[in-house]
PDB file of all heavy atoms in Angstrom:
ATOM      1  N   ALA A   1     -22.089  -3.371   0.738  1.00  0.00           N
ATOM      2  CA  ALA A   1     -21.157  -3.723   1.741  1.00  0.00           C
ATOM      3  C   ALA A   1     -20.064  -2.628   1.901  1.00  0.00           C
ATOM      4  O   ALA A   1     -19.632  -2.370   3.039  1.00  0.00           O
ATOM      5  CB  ALA A   1     -20.490  -5.048   1.409  1.00  0.00           C
ATOM      6  N   LEU A   2     -19.658  -2.103   0.710  1.00  0.00           N
ATOM      7  CA  LEU A   2     -18.667  -0.957   0.822  1.00  0.00           C
ATOM      8  C   LEU A   2     -19.213   0.267   1.494  1.00  0.00           C
ATOM      9  O   LEU A   2     -18.539   0.923   2.303  1.00  0.00           O
ATOM     10  CB  LEU A   2     -18.159  -0.597  -0.579  1.00  0.00           C
ATOM     11  CG  LEU A   2     -17.240  -1.601  -1.200  1.00  0.00           C
ATOM     12  CD1 LEU A   2     -16.865  -1.294  -2.627  1.00  0.00           C
ATOM     13  CD2 LEU A   2     -15.996  -1.750  -0.369  1.00  0.00           C
ATOM     14  N   ASP A   3     -20.481   0.573   1.250  1.00  0.00           N
ATOM     15  CA  ASP A   3     -21.131   1.700   1.849  1.00  0.00           C
ATOM     16  C   ASP A   3     -21.158   1.516   3.357  1.00  0.00           C
ATOM     17  O   ASP A   3     -20.937   2.399   4.162  1.00  0.00           O
ATOM     18  CB  ASP A   3     -22.487   1.977   1.276  1.00  0.00           C
ATOM     19  CG  ASP A   3     -22.433   2.564  -0.167  1.00  0.00           C
ATOM     20  OD1 ASP A   3     -21.407   3.097  -0.507  1.00  0.00           O
ATOM     21  OD2 ASP A   3     -23.514   2.477  -0.762  1.00  0.00           O
ATOM     22  N   ARG A   4     -21.519   0.285   3.691  1.00  0.00           N
ATOM     23  CA  ARG A   4     -21.640  -0.011   5.177  1.00  0.00           C
ATOM     24  C   ARG A   4     -20.246   0.063   5.858  1.00  0.00           C
ATOM     25  O   ARG A   4     -20.186   0.565   6.941  1.00  0.00           O
ATOM     26  CB  ARG A   4     -22.271  -1.482   5.361  1.00  0.00           C
ATOM     27  CG  ARG A   4     -22.406  -1.894   6.722  1.00  0.00           C
ATOM     28  CD  ARG A   4     -23.568  -1.233   7.399  1.00  0.00           C
ATOM     29  NE  ARG A   4     -23.754  -1.826   8.716  1.00  0.00           N
ATOM     30  CZ  ARG A   4     -23.998  -1.059   9.765  1.00  0.00           C
ATOM     31  NH1 ARG A   4     -24.096   0.284   9.630  1.00  0.00           N
ATOM     32  NH2 ARG A   4     -24.131  -1.641  10.956  1.00  0.00           N
ATOM     33  N   SER A   5     -19.224  -0.427   5.206  1.00  0.00           N
ATOM     34  CA  SER A   5     -17.869  -0.421   5.796  1.00  0.00           C
ATOM     35  C   SER A   5     -17.426   1.043   5.952  1.00  0.00           C
ATOM     36  O   SER A   5     -16.900   1.417   6.987  1.00  0.00           O
ATOM     37  CB  SER A   5     -16.904  -1.292   5.111  1.00  0.00           C
ATOM     38  OG  SER A   5     -16.631  -0.692   3.775  1.00  0.00           O
ATOM     39  N   GLN A   6     -17.687   1.831   4.978  1.00  0.00           N
ATOM     40  CA  GLN A   6     -17.331   3.254   5.068  1.00  0.00           C
ATOM     41  C   GLN A   6     -18.088   3.898   6.202  1.00  0.00           C
ATOM     42  O   GLN A   6     -17.540   4.754   6.925  1.00  0.00           O
ATOM     43  CB  GLN A   6     -17.570   4.012   3.704  1.00  0.00           C
ATOM     44  CG  GLN A   6     -16.608   3.594   2.654  1.00  0.00           C
ATOM     45  CD  GLN A   6     -16.866   4.357   1.330  1.00  0.00           C
ATOM     46  OE1 GLN A   6     -16.738   5.553   1.300  1.00  0.00           O
ATOM     47  NE2 GLN A   6     -17.236   3.647   0.309  1.00  0.00           N
ATOM     48  N   SER A   7     -19.415   3.603   6.290  1.00  0.00           N
ATOM     49  CA  SER A   7     -20.196   4.171   7.357  1.00  0.00           C
ATOM     50  C   SER A   7     -19.717   3.799   8.700  1.00  0.00           C
ATOM     51  O   SER A   7     -19.629   4.605   9.592  1.00  0.00           O
ATOM     52  CB  SER A   7     -21.646   3.781   7.123  1.00  0.00           C
ATOM     53  OG  SER A   7     -22.478   4.181   8.141  1.00  0.00           O
ATOM     54  N   LEU A   8     -19.416   2.529   8.917  1.00  0.00           N
ATOM     55  CA  LEU A   8     -18.926   2.053  10.164  1.00  0.00           C
ATOM     56  C   LEU A   8     -17.556   2.738  10.585  1.00  0.00           C
ATOM     57  O   LEU A   8     -17.329   3.150  11.687  1.00  0.00           O
ATOM     58  CB  LEU A   8     -18.776   0.558  10.208  1.00  0.00           C
ATOM     59  CG  LEU A   8     -20.166  -0.209  10.224  1.00  0.00           C
ATOM     60  CD1 LEU A   8     -19.881  -1.730   9.948  1.00  0.00           C
ATOM     61  CD2 LEU A   8     -20.789   0.009  11.506  1.00  0.00           C
ATOM     62  N   LEU A   9     -16.716   2.782   9.574  1.00  0.00           N
ATOM     63  CA  LEU A   9     -15.360   3.453   9.828  1.00  0.00           C
ATOM     64  C   LEU A   9     -15.538   4.934  10.102  1.00  0.00           C
ATOM     65  O   LEU A   9     -14.845   5.473  10.952  1.00  0.00           O
ATOM     66  CB  LEU A   9     -14.427   3.171   8.652  1.00  0.00           C
ATOM     67  CG  LEU A   9     -13.935   1.749   8.532  1.00  0.00           C
ATOM     68  CD1 LEU A   9     -13.400   1.407   7.165  1.00  0.00           C
ATOM     69  CD2 LEU A   9     -12.870   1.449   9.586  1.00  0.00           C
ATOM     70  N   ALA A  10     -16.440   5.653   9.407  1.00  0.00           N
ATOM     71  CA  ALA A  10     -16.652   7.026   9.607  1.00  0.00           C
ATOM     72  C   ALA A  10     -17.160   7.226  11.091  1.00  0.00           C
ATOM     73  O   ALA A  10     -16.763   8.118  11.754  1.00  0.00           O
ATOM     74  CB  ALA A  10     -17.604   7.580   8.567  1.00  0.00           C
ATOM     75  N   GLY A  11     -18.057   6.268  11.488  1.00  0.00           N
ATOM     76  CA  GLY A  11     -18.610   6.391  12.804  1.00  0.00           C
ATOM     77  C   GLY A  11     -17.456   6.126  13.888  1.00  0.00           C
ATOM     78  O   GLY A  11     -17.442   6.845  14.963  1.00  0.00           O
ATOM     79  N   ALA A  12     -16.578   5.192  13.643  1.00  0.00           N
ATOM     80  CA  ALA A  12     -15.528   4.956  14.574  1.00  0.00           C
ATOM     81  C   ALA A  12     -14.639   6.120  14.705  1.00  0.00           C
ATOM     82  O   ALA A  12     -14.156   6.511  15.777  1.00  0.00           O
ATOM     83  CB  ALA A  12     -14.813   3.719  14.083  1.00  0.00           C
ATOM     84  N   LEU A  13     -14.326   6.820  13.542  1.00  0.00           N
ATOM     85  CA  LEU A  13     -13.499   8.034  13.548  1.00  0.00           C
ATOM     86  C   LEU A  13     -14.236   9.102  14.290  1.00  0.00           C
ATOM     87  O   LEU A  13     -13.549   9.847  15.078  1.00  0.00           O
ATOM     88  CB  LEU A  13     -13.175   8.446  12.082  1.00  0.00           C
ATOM     89  CG  LEU A  13     -12.144   7.591  11.392  1.00  0.00           C
ATOM     90  CD1 LEU A  13     -12.219   7.894   9.880  1.00  0.00           C
ATOM     91  CD2 LEU A  13     -10.798   7.907  11.966  1.00  0.00           C
ATOM     92  N   ALA A  14     -15.479   9.302  14.142  1.00  0.00           N
ATOM     93  CA  ALA A  14     -16.268  10.327  14.850  1.00  0.00           C
ATOM     94  C   ALA A  14     -16.315  10.082  16.304  1.00  0.00           C
ATOM     95  O   ALA A  14     -16.324  11.001  17.104  1.00  0.00           O
ATOM     96  CB  ALA A  14     -17.684  10.385  14.297  1.00  0.00           C
ATOM     97  N   GLU A  15     -16.343   8.834  16.755  1.00  0.00           N
ATOM     98  CA  GLU A  15     -16.308   8.486  18.213  1.00  0.00           C
ATOM     99  C   GLU A  15     -15.014   8.647  18.872  1.00  0.00           C
ATOM    100  O   GLU A  15     -14.982   8.772  20.042  1.00  0.00           O
ATOM    101  CB  GLU A  15     -16.831   7.101  18.378  1.00  0.00           C
ATOM    102  CG  GLU A  15     -18.295   6.862  18.088  1.00  0.00           C
ATOM    103  CD  GLU A  15     -18.772   5.411  18.219  1.00  0.00           C
ATOM    104  OE1 GLU A  15     -18.036   4.594  18.841  1.00  0.00           O
ATOM    105  OE2 GLU A  15     -19.730   5.060  17.606  1.00  0.00           O
ATOM    106  N   LEU A  16     -13.961   8.703  18.072  1.00  0.00           N
ATOM    107  CA  LEU A  16     -12.631   8.845  18.688  1.00  0.00           C
ATOM    108  C   LEU A  16     -12.391  10.318  18.849  1.00  0.00           C
ATOM    109  O   LEU A  16     -12.323  11.040  17.915  1.00  0.00           O
ATOM    110  CB  LEU A  16     -11.550   8.218  17.735  1.00  0.00           C
ATOM    111  CG  LEU A  16     -10.158   8.095  18.238  1.00  0.00           C
ATOM    112  CD1 LEU A  16     -10.066   7.216  19.442  1.00  0.00           C
ATOM    113  CD2 LEU A  16      -9.301   7.542  17.192  1.00  0.00           C
ATOM    114  N   PRO A  17     -12.317  10.809  20.086  1.00  0.00           N
ATOM    115  CA  PRO A  17     -12.111  12.230  20.308  1.00  0.00           C
ATOM    116  C   PRO A  17     -10.893  12.843  19.582  1.00  0.00           C
ATOM    117  O   PRO A  17      -9.821  12.210  19.553  1.00  0.00           O
ATOM    118  CB  PRO A  17     -11.928  12.388  21.858  1.00  0.00           C
ATOM    119  CG  PRO A  17     -12.595  11.074  22.369  1.00  0.00           C
ATOM    120  CD  PRO A  17     -12.290  10.075  21.332  1.00  0.00           C
TER     121      PRO A  17
END
Side-chain angles (χ1 to χ4, degrees):
L2 287 173
D3 289 340
R4 180 76 175 132
S5 67
Q6 287 181 66
S7 175
L8 289 171
L9 287 161
L13 285 164
E15 288 177 19
L16 190 61

